[in-house]
Amino acid sequence: MMRISTPNSSLSLLFLSLNLLLHLFASCSAIPPPLPLLPIPSASQLSWQLGESTMFLHFGPNTFTDSEWGTGHCDPSIFNPVALDPKQWARVAKDAGFSRLIITAKHHDGFCLWPSSLTDYSVRSSKWRNGTGDVVSEVAEAAKEMGLGLGLYLSPWDRHESSYGRTLEYNEFFLGQMTELLSNYGEIKEVWLDGAKGEGEKDMEYKFEEWFHVIHQLQPGAVIFSDAGPDCRWVGDEGGVAGSTCWSLFNASSDTIGHTDYEYSSGGDPHGHDWVPPECDVSIRPGWFWHSSEHPKSALELLDIYYKSVGRNCLLLLNVPPNSSGLISDEDVQVLHDFMKLRHETFSLNLAETATITASSTRGGLNDPKFGPSQVIKEGIYSYWAPEEGAKDGWALYFDFGRPLSFNVLQLQEAIHMGQRVIKYHLDVQKDGEWETIVNGTTVGYKRLQRFQAVESQVLRLSIKKSRADPLISFLGIYLEPPPAIGLELLNFNSNHQARHVRLRDWFWNASKASF
């Protein structure tokens, strides 16, 4: 018998050719993504939403006069924050998990925190730095150094400017100030506008449409906030709470700035033609400006707000006002630190990562893992589980932990760059072979967080009952949040991080019927 030997190089070439053919075949048979469902967010809106939370900084003469709405007539020399340190503000924001800062460049009193060429009522006329300072510039520099985005609030209502009330003249004045701010301080991520105006004030028409076009021309990457958009909208209250049903879809033409339909703003519109996601603004203290007699909310109160804002498809805009020295007060810093720790203690361990995950169907079948159910434990919105098109009996994801585990928090996220889709869902556990619903929900959007009384189960099911189109689930998290008493104990546990992690992990595995 004759043996034929093949050189190693020939074998390598053969295997390479076969692999190439298999790769080409797989490429030719790959299933493309589904079509997006309009409306969808712009790139700047996506970046804004992914940031989750922004720190608002109300600062100005009101900080020194113990006021909320200044008269516009106080002596500018009163503004003198002798220890002003925007780098401290930025560090506090970064450490607490904020992605951006928004500074009140001008509040209703008309005092400008930058040396505007259009008025003398500004830092130029103050004692601070002998009139040579620029708060906006220092905040911009600090934000850039800490890798934070910068936003600006320029109040349309101006109680100092003499042209206020003369529509053409004041609109030109306002747009001139806006142009100064958007031309001299680098990249601006958000421009914050409102329709606030006290009763009995001069009649004044704001040319919002003209302002919007100029803002986008000068800062094309900025999102514009107002009661009705165009890029993000007010949720309708100042408590930081969104509706339990909350759509990013909206009809901007159905709302007007200064005349908010609170129910419509809170819930959005499943039939809306525009993508205008909601923003929840709330202050860490009772007032928006710092007052020595006031104290911050607790970390547990902030956590509740987080669940009802970020956890309901909104961005959280939390106001943390600097004090009259020009620093964020120690008690506010401590609360923010504790707030961050509470979130970490819950969301650092996703129990779903330990589960075997299956689905009612998968786009492209089981041979194409690109849209498989395991995608839902990957961080980010750009990978997602997609079901087979045209399912008529709903959609489901199944999780088997291999052993009973306790949990009390659900996190869901949709691939919002493909549109917001989910209308109704529920989470079920299996007991004695029967499914039992533990929580119902409506919209998901960017992020949905739901707390419920702790349950113990080995198997659970996410069932999506109604959707505007095939649902695209980008993330699912199952967590065990410590009850408030244990949460506070963890905050006061002053050992090292590793010891805290072990202590919490042991509590996770041993807890069974935790309730709160």
Side-chain angles (χ1 to χ4, degrees):
M1 179 180 293
M2 181 181 293
R3 295 188 179 181
I4 300 174
S5 61
T6 305
N8 290 338
S9 59
S10 299
L11 280 174
S12 299
L13 183 60
L14 178 61
F15 289 139
L16 183 62
S17 300
L18 287 173
N19 285 332
L20 180 60
L21 286 172
L22 289 171
H23 176 74
L24 289 172
F25 178 77
S27 298
C28 292
S29 60
I31 303 298
L35 284 174
L37 182 65
L38 300 179
I40 59 175
S42 67
S44 57
Q45 286 173 319
L46 270 177
S47 174
W48 172 88
Q49 186 100 57
L50 292 173
E52 289 204 356
S53 60
T54 298
M55 182 183 284
F56 215 170
L57 298 158
H58 274 64
F59 190 59
N62 292 348
T63 308
F64 301 86
T65 60
D66 204 28
S67 305
E68 283 291 301
W69 282 8
T71 65
H73 300 293
C74 81
D75 190 328
S77 66
I78 198 172
F79 182 81
N80 190 25
V82 293
L84 184 110
D85 185 6
K87 290 186 178 181
Q88 185 242 11
W89 308 351
R91 283 193 303 272
V92 170
K94 185 77 170 180
D95 291 345
F98 293 95
S99 61
R100 295 179 180 178
L101 300 174
I102 296 180
I103 180 70
T104 53
K106 182 186 78 169
H107 203 252
H108 310 324
D109 58 4
F111 185 86
C112 300
L113 296 186
W114 81 102
S116 174
S117 65
L118 298 172
T119 180
D120 289 330
Y121 201 56
S122 74
V123 288
R124 192 198 308 276
S125 300
S126 72
K127 290 182 179 179
W128 177 64
R129 308 237 165 108
N130 295 318
T132 64
D134 185 336
V135 177
V136 175
S137 177
E138 293 194 27
V139 173
E141 182 181 342
K144 184 177 181 180
E145 185 176 311
M146 293 303 299
L148 301 172
L150 176 65
L152 299 170
Y153 170 37
L154 188 69
S155 171
W157 182 27
D158 190 321
R159 304 185 76 180
H160 177 84
E161 173 54 36
S162 60
S163 66
Y164 189 86
R166 299 193 291 274
T167 295
L168 177 61
E169 189 177 343
Y170 179 73
N171 274 273
E172 290 176 343
F173 170 82
F174 182 89
L175 201 51
Q177 289 196 321
M178 182 68 76
T179 300
E180 287 182 343
L181 288 170
L182 301 185
S183 301
N184 297 314
Y185 297 99
E187 184 178 13
I188 305 301
K189 291 292 189 178
E190 183 169 351
V191 174
W192 209 88
L193 299 170
D194 62 12
K197 186 168 68 172
E199 297 209 4
E201 285 294 318
K202 301 171 186 175
D203 189 31
M204 182 74 225
E205 178 188 356
Y206 302 134
K207 299 290 186 179
F208 281 110
E209 285 301 318
E210 286 86 342
W211 298 355
F212 294 162
H213 282 282
V214 172
I215 292 168
H216 279 152
Q217 183 184 80
L218 295 172
Q219 292 284 345
V223 296
I224 301 173
F225 167 93
S226 80
D227 295 356
D231 300 313
C232 57
R233 73 180 194 264
W234 186 36
V235 78
D237 66 62
E238 292 186 344
V241 176
S244 59
T245 296
C246 192
W247 292 94
S248 292
L249 281 61
F250 198 69
N251 282 327
S253 59
S254 299
D255 211 351
T256 55
I257 301 172
H259 301 87
T260 300
D261 180 332
Y262 298 106
E263 185 175 349
Y264 187 67
S265 294
S266 178
D269 188 343
H271 307 292
H273 300 297
D274 306 305
W275 185 274
V276 190
E279 183 174 274
C280 291
D281 60 325
V282 62
S283 185
I284 196 171
R285 288 166 171 256
W288 289 91
F289 286 88
W290 177 84
H291 306 288
S292 59
S293 61
E294 295 181 351
H295 301 284
K297 295 175 172 64
S298 71
L300 288 173
E301 287 177 293
L302 293 184
L303 184 64
D304 188 60
I305 289 170
Y306 178 79
Y307 274 98
K308 294 174 180 176
S309 56
V310 175
R312 292 181 178 176
N313 188 40
C314 297
L315 181 136
L316 172 60
L317 178 61
L318 181 65
N319 180 62
V320 184
N323 60 32
S324 56
S325 296
L327 299 171
I328 294 175
S329 297
D330 289 344
E331 58 180 337
D332 297 42
V333 173
Q334 185 62 51
V335 166
L336 291 172
H337 175 72
D338 293 347
F339 171 44
M340 182 69 174
K341 284 178 64 177
L342 283 175
R343 300 199 319 266
H344 176 75
E345 301 296 2
T346 295
F347 296 106
S348 60
L349 179 61
N350 181 9
L351 300 175
E353 292 181 359
T354 68
T356 299
I357 309 171
T358 56
S360 54
S361 69
T362 297
R363 182 179 178 84
L366 297 178
N367 294 325
D368 191 346
K370 182 168 59 174
F371 302 111
S374 63
Q375 298 292 334
V376 301
I377 57 172
K378 294 181 180 178
E379 296 284 348
I381 65 168
Y382 295 104
S383 57
Y384 51 87
W385 165 66
E388 201 68 74
E389 288 184 348
K392 299 186 183 300
D393 299 320
W395 308 266
L397 287 166
Y398 301 89
F399 298 79
D400 188 336
F401 299 117
R403 60 170 173 153
L405 295 179
S406 293
F407 50 90
N408 56 14
V409 175
L410 168 68
Q411 176 179 330
L412 287 176
Q413 291 185 260
E414 285 186 83
I416 57 169
H417 63 294
M418 304 290 283
Q420 189 177 354
R421 301 169 179 238
V422 175
I423 298 173
K424 185 184 296 185
Y425 65 89
H426 52 83
L427 186 69
D428 312 317
V429 296
Q430 199 172 67
K431 292 187 176 180
D432 301 323
E434 299 291 331
W435 289 110
E436 179 182 314
T437 296
I438 57 172
V439 67
N440 291 286
T442 52
T443 48
V444 176
Y446 166 66
K447 181 175 285 189
R448 184 61 187 263
L449 297 171
Q450 286 182 284
R451 293 155 136 174
F452 43 89
Q453 183 161 325
V455 296
E456 186 179 77
S457 180
Q458 176 177 323
V459 179
L460 62 83
R461 174 182 68 182
L462 174 72
S463 183
I464 300 170
K465 305 306 293 183
K466 191 174 181 182
S467 185
R468 295 175 62 235
D470 292 328
L472 305 177
I473 304 300
S474 61
F475 187 80
L476 186 145
I478 300 294
Y479 305 97
L480 184 60
E481 179 188 78
I486 294 179
L488 290 173
E489 181 185 346
L490 287 166
L491 289 181
N492 295 323
F493 186 55
N494 294 319
S495 187
N496 61 51
H497 174 77
Q498 183 177 2
R500 285 198 304 272
H501 179 78
V502 170
R503 183 183 174 99
L504 184 64
R505 182 197 62 198
D506 291 344
W507 184 80
F508 276 152
W509 299 126
N510 293 328
S512 57
K513 298 291 184 182
S515 62
F516 50 95

